[in-house]
Amino acid sequence: MALIVQKYGGTSVGDVERILNVARRVKETYDAGNQVVVVVSARSGVTNELIARAKSISSKPDNREMDMLLCVGEQETIALLAMALQSLGVPAVSRTGAQAGMLTDKSHTKARITGVTGGDIPDRLAEGKVVVVAGFQGQTSDGEMTTLGRGGSDLSAIAIAYALRAQICQIYTDVDGVYTADPRVVKTAKKLKEMSYDQMLELASSGSKVMQARAVEFAQKFNVPFEVRSSFNNNPGTIVKKKISSMEDFVVSGVAIDNNESKITLRGLPDDSVTVAKIFQALAEDRIIVDLIIQNVGHDGLVNLTFSVNTDDVARAEEVVNKCLSQLGIKSTAQNAGKIAVVALVGVGMISNSGIAAKFFKALSEKNIKMQMIATSEIRLSAAVDPSQANAAAEAIHEAFELGKDI
């Protein structure tokens, strides 16, 4: 008998029929003699609908109230799935994130986990019940409801698997596993049998929609192996773990696209490191993640600075930066310079392998794709391009590195 944590995303529980399908899958696992904890997201589209309703009332809704509102989506799903399991003869009980012992800090809408106890889940499992847990949500030490940010149900599942010392953590989604590229964009994309935490983290950070980046970070920190697989078939998925076989035999593992990035430009900044440090410190304190950065020489000894952030954070980033500049007595202002797409090539030891960058740039130039910003790391090479060229860029890079070959 194994203790298994299964997570089902929004598309997997999108309507009543799909919830019943998940219940049947969980029953198979339960009937095989396993203890099962199921972590679920809100039904597909529900969170967006709730956000739209909030913004129709206020252009800047209060973050605490947003958390109170958004927690509704997952709580609907856990109740419906528990009912579905009960209708199949499986004893089941639902639990909110707070009841599952998911403790967080007080950063509403972007809360970070400070601890996870599992609540009374072990006791309910000992009674022979399946426990259905609301992902994405937690609770502060003083009882305030919080949410973990987009994709937070992945993080909930990994954290609960760690807390319960589960033998298996399965992340069920609408694809068969992790591919060398989005198979809906690149038709020759191939599924990877296994990959390292580092590779999965870079793919997630670069726009792959398979896993939340923070969930992968947590799994890596606490060494929680997990499998990404489809909730619509029984095909083997992709195992993500600390080390993978034959790591020395390949370099490149995948291409990712992030279509939800925007540029912010500041012109006429003093040419000193103190100003730049204070700008990015202010952004970090507000938990705004910066991806690509470029600095150019301006006029009269001044410099221009451009960086990218998630499009959802643009307005807040402008506000934070402009406040910082005002406090420094600098007349420059942050300006939204428009949306971009970030296309990233991910692999192992890329920076130490000659020719990788040359092949990457050549692939884009042959398709007349202009690169606006560039960044490199040990396992990632990324470029900002016009969103209209993102898919073509991914296809070109995927083809150049022959990622469509059988793995």
Side-chain angles (χ1 to χ4, degrees):
M1 180 178 71
L3 198 169
I4 300 174
V5 173
Q6 297 183 337
K7 178 262 175 179
Y8 292 90
T11 54
S12 300
V13 292
D15 53 34
V16 170
E17 184 51 46
R18 289 189 173 185
I19 290 173
L20 288 168
N21 177 62
V22 168
R24 288 189 284 268
R25 297 183 71 96
V26 173
K27 183 178 187 300
E28 289 178 4
T29 306
Y30 177 81
D31 287 347
N34 300 297
Q35 294 182 315
V36 188
V37 177
V38 186
V39 178
V40 293
S41 302
R43 292 185 299 108
S44 179
V46 168
T47 299
N48 287 339
E49 181 182 345
L50 292 172
I51 291 172
R53 289 183 183 180
K55 291 192 173 181
S56 69
I57 293 174
S58 170
S59 60
K60 291 185 177 181
D62 180 77
N63 284 342
R64 178 194 179 277
E65 300 309 324
M66 284 300 295
D67 277 353
M68 291 292 287
L69 175 66
L70 297 183
C71 284
V72 170
E74 279 70 24
Q75 286 171 211
E76 175 200 33
T77 312
I78 59 173
L80 291 175
L81 181 55
M83 293 174 192
L85 286 164
Q86 292 165 4
S87 72
L88 296 176
V90 177
V93 62
S94 62
R95 287 290 183 265
T96 64
Q99 290 171 324
M102 191 68 66
L103 305 175
T104 76
D105 63 15
K106 299 179 181 181
S107 300
H108 287 289
T109 74
K110 295 181 180 179
R112 300 190 74 85
I113 294 173
T114 58
V116 54
T117 67
D120 68 346
I121 293 177
D123 293 336
R124 302 292 79 77
L125 292 174
E127 294 170 354
K129 294 178 179 177
V130 170
V131 183
V132 185
V133 179
F136 177 64
Q137 58 179 243
Q139 181 176 267
T140 66
S141 58
D142 52 5
E144 291 283 349
M145 296 181 73
T146 55
T147 61
L148 305 176
R150 284 287 190 174
S153 293
D154 292 337
L155 179 54
S156 298
I158 296 292
I160 287 172
Y162 166 73
L164 300 178
R165 302 298 188 266
Q167 282 73 48
I168 308 170
C169 182
Q170 299 170 325
I171 307 295
Y172 284 91
T173 181
D174 56 351
V175 294
D176 279 352
V178 183
Y179 282 71
T180 53
D182 187 337
R184 293 164 293 190
V185 174
V186 181
K187 302 305 180 185
T188 56
K190 299 292 185 181
K191 184 172 70 176
L192 297 162
K193 294 180 180 178
E194 57 182 17
M195 63 193 314
S196 69
Y197 292 127
D198 283 336
Q199 291 171 295
M200 185 69 246
L201 180 57
E202 286 292 354
L203 282 174
S205 301
S206 301
S208 170
K209 303 300 188 294
V210 176
M211 281 284 290
Q212 187 206 45
R214 283 171 57 196
V216 183
E217 288 177 350
F218 192 103
Q220 182 177 41
K221 182 177 181 179
F222 295 104
N223 194 22
V224 182
F226 59 90
E227 180 184 14
V228 179
R229 57 188 302 170
S230 173
S231 60
F232 301 112
N233 59 52
N234 293 314
N235 297 336
T238 300
I239 301 292
V240 182
K241 55 186 180 180
K242 187 174 182 179
K243 292 183 179 180
I244 61 175
S245 60
S246 304
M247 185 173 284
E248 295 292 331
D249 295 342
F250 66 89
V251 175
V252 180
S253 57
V255 180
I257 306 172
D258 188 349
N259 284 306
N260 198 35
E261 291 274 311
S262 292
K263 293 189 299 183
I264 292 179
T265 297
L266 296 86
R267 292 184 172 83
L269 293 177
D271 188 9
D272 64 67
S273 58
V274 174
T275 300
V276 174
K278 288 186 178 296
I279 289 171
F280 288 111
Q281 180 180 353
L283 290 166
E285 288 175 351
D286 208 71
R287 295 196 174 171
I288 296 172
I289 297 173
V290 176
D291 188 5
L292 308 182
I293 305 171
I294 187 168
Q295 180 173 295
N296 296 321
V297 176
H299 301 286
D300 302 321
L302 301 176
V303 298
N304 299 329
L305 177 70
T306 299
F307 60 89
S308 68
V309 299
N310 187 285
T311 298
D312 297 337
D313 291 330
V314 168
R316 182 61 183 158
E318 288 180 284
E319 183 180 335
V320 168
V321 172
N322 288 333
K323 180 180 178 181
C324 177
L325 294 173
S326 177
Q327 292 173 343
L328 294 172
I330 298 172
K331 294 182 179 179
S332 176
T333 57
Q335 297 179 337
N336 184 351
K339 293 196 69 172
I340 56 173
V342 178
V343 183
L345 180 71
V346 175
V348 175
M350 289 171 54
I351 203 168
S352 60
N353 281 267
S354 61
I356 300 295
K359 187 181 291 187
F360 181 93
F361 299 143
K362 182 180 179 183
L364 295 181
S365 66
E366 288 179 346
K367 298 295 183 180
N368 296 315
I369 298 172
K370 181 181 179 181
M371 293 173 286
Q372 301 177 27
M373 304 168 75
I374 300 168
T376 62
S377 73
E378 175 65 23
I379 60 175
R380 186 177 78 149
L381 173 59
S382 55
V385 302
D386 188 276
S388 65
Q389 296 183 305
N391 289 357
E395 290 177 330
I397 296 167
H398 195 271
E399 181 180 353
F401 285 91
E402 301 180 324
L403 295 176
K405 289 186 173 181
D406 291 335
I407 299 170

